[in-house]
Amino acid sequence: QVQLVESGGGQVQIGGSLRLSCAASGNIFTINDMAWYRQVPGKQRELVASINSGGSTKYADDVKGRFTISRDDDKNTAYLQMNALKPEDTGVYYCNAEMVVVASLQRDYWGQGTQVTVSS
């Protein structure tokens, strides 16, 4: 069974930092793109940052310069370093990975989400 497990969320004050982790496990052949999405109540899930297998990254405009996505392929793990946090960064953060899994046609996987709350 393939799983994506996020960790590192929590409550932080404005201007603080958090580091999210997303660990993939299971019978994985290869991991292509990995990404972090954010969802707030009443709104669609939106892309925050992505990283492909070559290490190229993309960011939403409102997090550029503050957030950094990275990955450790030896550990099948992606990270999201979030600095200078703002109240508008509050939401549930979901990890997404496009993977090739042994004996499965499914390619797109999601984690269960981790809550990030930024408050004064």
Side-chain angles (χ1 to χ4, degrees):
Q1 182 179 1
V2 175
Q3 284 187 312
L4 289 178
V5 179
E6 299 110 332
S7 60
Q11 187 165 352
V12 65
Q13 290 188 326
I14 295 172
S17 298
L18 284 174
R19 189 192 194 206
L20 305 183
S21 297
C22 169
S25 62
N27 213 355
I28 300 166
F29 181 71
T30 187
I31 301 177
N32 298 319
D33 293 356
M34 301 188 80
W36 289 94
Y37 286 74
R38 176 175 62 214
Q39 189 166 26
V40 297
K43 292 189 177 181
Q44 285 189 328
R45 197 171 293 186
E46 60 180 3
L47 178 66
V48 174
S50 66
I51 184 167
N52 66 16
S53 57
S56 294
T57 59
K58 294 181 180 179
Y59 296 93
D61 287 342
D62 61 338
V63 306
K64 285 180 181 176
R66 300 188 298 122
F67 290 10
T68 303
I69 188 171
S70 61
R71 60 192 286 169
D72 183 338
D73 290 333
D74 290 336
K75 297 180 179 179
N76 286 345
T77 298
Y79 304 95
L80 186 67
Q81 178 67 44
M82 304 186 295
N83 299 327
L85 283 161
K86 305 175 181 179
E88 51 265 42
D89 295 322
T90 295
V92 179
Y93 284 71
Y94 293 91
C95 178
N96 172 263
E98 201 271 330
M99 302 188 285
V100 178
V101 175
V102 176
S104 174
L105 294 178
Q106 183 176 351
R107 294 294 182 96
D108 195 47
Y109 293 84
W110 291 90
Q112 81 286 356
T114 184
Q115 176 71 44
V116 171
T117 303
V118 184
S119 59
S120 58

